[in-house]
Amino acid sequence: MILTIDRLGHLGDAIAQGPEGPVYVAQALPGEVVEGEPVAGRIAAPRIITPSPDRVRAPCPHFRACGGCSLQYASDGFVEGWKADVVRSALAGQGLEAPLRPVVTSPARSRRRATLAGRRTKKGALVGFHGRASEMLTEIEQCLLLHPALMATLPLLREVTVAGASRQGELGLMVTLTTGGLDLAVTGGKPMDAALFAALAGLAEAGDLARLSWNGEPVATRRPPAQRFGAAEVVPAAGAFLQATAEGEAALLAAVTEAVGGVRSIADLFAGSGTFALPLASRAEVHAVESEVAALAALDTGWRRAGGLHKVSTEARDLFRRPLLPDELRRFGAVVIDPPRAGAEAQAAELARSAVPVIAAVSCNPVTFARDARLLLAGGYRIDWLQVVDQFRWSPHVELVARFSR
């Protein structure tokens, strides 16, 4: 079957119109003519008959086998334009539009946090990433996403896998770059005993790790695995959320800071460990609301140790079940809201009823962002501008910051 690609779907698969309906085509671009036989409505390995001018040679030698980068066959300019279009399409689905600023893309080799998989083998261990929609594990020797400091840990991760993985199981190896060095949080490992503890403590020392955690429990903390948020240093819990790249975090923070302007009091909703709250505290009082008690404790400790910041108060609260109400919101000159992928429909509905002058909305899901934005606009807000941030380079993932005002 010969098909012409119409567009890319929001997950990055190309879509063509077949005789019996849409056909999804892997690793193809709009305008390309491809050949292949669909299986269950999808062509997994098409032959490209007429390539797009936006097609490039994938720069990573692992691209075909690894599931980490799905769009390396497209030019950077195409990917940026497509991600902006993903946001426009999500807005249009709710009958909305907004002025978009140029996309900010994180550079290659900038990922400071990643979760690799580790599996024992007869000869040692295999550490890498899974293939696309596959349990096949691909060993990664040259990754164009990961920070060089993370790549340097691969020999250590293999040793950890040999020491602590069962023959049938697979480890999750979350490694994070911190100011104190590398923080390794392992899940899926064998139950802890004295011999395993001693082996892991020795590996943490030999690998100069800042911290090593095993199935949620600390094994060794040799230096504080801190992150710097503005003037504060915060030590998040092992495995806690962190923006994927320092450059992406800086772009999001710059947009949020511009959006809230010179207000004196800010509510930071879904505040995490203080990514936005602590830098904003250099200019305003901040009330940080978050359901994870450990994240708030880390934020509060970081604020108290920093000195010189405006007051930062914290509140442990499930904003999905108990959103802040208009009476509670009236004392803030601006709200920052950064929910998970599910969005924040309940909180958006209460914000729409509030008198908050400015909202800086951060999102990692354009679809739920658009849904929540529709509520805000129905309540009398407008979208002043929207900044798309691509810190998951070569993937379909999209992040953004939007400024809403009354």
Side-chain angles (χ1 to χ4, degrees):
M1 180 183 294
I2 296 176
L3 299 168
T4 300
I5 303 302
D6 297 321
R7 59 188 175 89
L8 293 193
H10 70 280
L11 295 179
D13 260 2
I15 302 173
Q17 187 62 38
E20 298 181 1
V23 177
Y24 291 85
V25 183
Q27 298 178 22
L29 293 171
E32 291 188 328
V33 178
V34 304
E35 184 178 24
E37 291 304 318
V39 176
R42 186 173 188 271
I43 301 176
R47 185 172 73 89
I48 309 299
I49 298 174
T50 306
S52 164
D54 289 308
R55 177 170 289 277
V56 299
R57 182 183 295 275
C60 179
H62 307 296
F63 173 70
R64 293 290 178 187
C66 174
C69 297
S70 57
L71 291 168
Q72 277 196 357
Y73 58 91
S75 69
D76 288 349
F78 173 87
V79 174
E80 287 187 359
W82 174 71
K83 291 197 175 188
D85 285 342
V86 167
V87 175
R88 291 190 187 96
S89 176
L91 290 170
Q94 297 290 342
L96 308 177
E97 59 182 18
L100 266 64
R101 294 177 168 183
V103 177
V104 177
T105 302
S106 293
R109 297 184 175 90
S110 62
R111 282 285 298 272
R112 61 181 176 179
R113 183 186 68 162
T115 300
L116 295 94
R119 188 181 298 161
R120 282 180 60 189
T121 66
K122 292 181 179 179
K123 296 183 178 180
L126 186 64
V127 171
F129 295 115
H130 288 111
R132 297 176 188 86
S134 169
E135 293 300 315
M136 183 70 69
L137 191 57
T138 300
E139 192 161 27
I140 302 299
E141 297 294 343
Q142 302 178 44
C143 181
L144 299 183
L145 284 182
L146 301 189
H147 190 284
L150 269 61
M151 287 299 298
T153 66
L154 288 177
L156 174 66
L157 297 183
R158 295 186 188 100
E159 292 187 67
V160 169
T161 301
V162 171
S166 66
R167 288 303 297 268
Q168 290 76 36
E170 186 173 279
L171 298 185
L173 302 156
M174 177 182 284
V175 58
T176 304
L177 183 61
T178 78
T179 62
L182 291 168
D183 183 16
L184 176 59
V186 184
T187 56
K190 294 189 296 188
M192 185 63 70
D193 58 24
L196 179 58
F197 186 92
L200 293 173
L203 289 171
E205 183 73 23
D208 194 30
L209 295 179
R211 178 172 64 184
L212 173 60
S213 306
W214 193 262
N215 293 335
E217 298 297 327
V219 173
T221 302
R222 303 176 59 251
R223 291 181 300 276
Q227 299 294 335
R228 180 163 288 279
F229 299 144
E233 277 205 340
V234 175
V235 180
F241 175 80
L242 178 71
Q243 296 294 343
T245 71
E247 294 84 356
E249 180 183 293
L252 295 171
L253 176 59
V256 166
T257 302
E258 179 187 349
V260 300
V263 301
R264 296 183 178 180
S265 60
I266 300 170
D268 183 8
L269 311 183
F270 302 94
S273 299
T275 303
F276 301 120
L278 291 168
L280 292 174
S282 66
R283 58 171 63 195
E285 291 191 357
V286 180
H287 183 57
V289 185
E290 165 63 46
S291 63
E292 294 291 335
V293 175
L296 285 181
L299 187 160
D300 184 65
T301 300
W303 169 66
R304 293 178 185 280
R305 290 178 177 173
L309 298 177
H310 289 82
K311 178 179 174 60
V312 176
S313 55
T314 59
E315 179 182 357
R317 182 163 174 168
D318 184 343
L319 292 170
F320 293 109
R321 298 182 179 182
R322 293 181 55 234
L324 265 66
L325 302 177
D327 284 350
E328 298 173 280
L329 292 164
R330 66 172 57 183
R331 65 188 176 98
F332 301 111
V335 166
V336 177
I337 182 166
D338 182 16
R341 291 189 61 79
E345 189 171 14
Q347 185 61 75
E350 299 303 332
L351 283 166
R353 297 173 53 231
S354 78
V356 175
V358 175
I359 300 169
V362 185
S363 175
C364 60
N365 185 341
V367 173
T368 56
F369 165 80
R371 178 201 66 198
D372 297 347
R374 181 175 57 82
L375 296 175
L376 295 175
L377 269 65
Y381 285 93
R382 64 177 179 270
I383 304 178
D384 297 315
W385 48 259
L386 190 151
Q387 175 68 66
V388 178
V389 177
D390 181 8
Q391 62 174 328
F392 291 87
R393 192 182 181 101
W394 297 312
S395 86
H397 193 75
V398 182
E399 294 183 292
L400 61 89
V401 179
R403 185 183 195 268
F404 293 83
S405 65
R406 287 200 173 276

